Amino acid sequence: SFNSNGQISSFTFSPGLRSFERDDFGATLGFGYSIKVKEQHKIFIELIENLGFNNINKPILENPKERNHSVSLIVSYIFSRPGKETLE
């Protein structure tokens, strides 16, 4: 809280995980692309985005609104053994 001079007169700090909400929900979006290098060799590139929908901070003092968000880039090398079926 603030006093009449505009200075902080008290402050509450909730360290660690106690300052976060218990639940969070969101959506995951992604796409991938397969590139054939040789007959049995492929490179697979995938981009995934995770979006949180709700504020993860508890409404304590002046906690800003924050949401979870991440972007992942995955690059894989796939080698198929001869005679084995692969997913296309």
Side-chain angles (χ1 to χ4, degrees), residues 37-54:
V37 179
K38 293 182 182 178
E39 185 62 34
Q40 298 168 337
H41 302 261
K42 293 180 186 174
I43 294 176
F44 188 73
I45 300 171
E46 190 172 11
L47 184 66
I48 300 172
E49 183 171 20
N50 298 298
L51 302 166
F53 290 149
N54 60 329

Side-chain angles (χ1 to χ4, degrees), residues 17-74:
L17 298 178
R18 291 183 286 167
S19 64
F20 293 109
E21 291 288 352
R22 178 183 167 108
D23 299 316
D24 185 27
F25 61 93
T28 299
L29 306 169
F31 68 93
Y33 186 74
S34 179
I35 303 168
K36 187 174 184 177
V37 179
K38 293 182 182 178
E39 185 62 34
Q40 298 168 337
H41 302 261
K42 293 180 186 174
I43 294 176
F44 188 73
I45 300 171
E46 190 172 11
L47 184 66
I48 300 172
E49 183 171 20
N50 298 298
L51 302 166
F53 290 149
N54 60 329
N55 183 12
I56 60 171
N57 281 332
K58 288 185 177 178
I60 301 171
L61 197 61
E62 297 293 325
N63 274 351
K65 289 185 178 182
E66 292 183 300
R67 295 182 174 96
N68 283 319
H69 180 244
S70 67
V71 176
S72 302
L73 175 65
I74 301 167

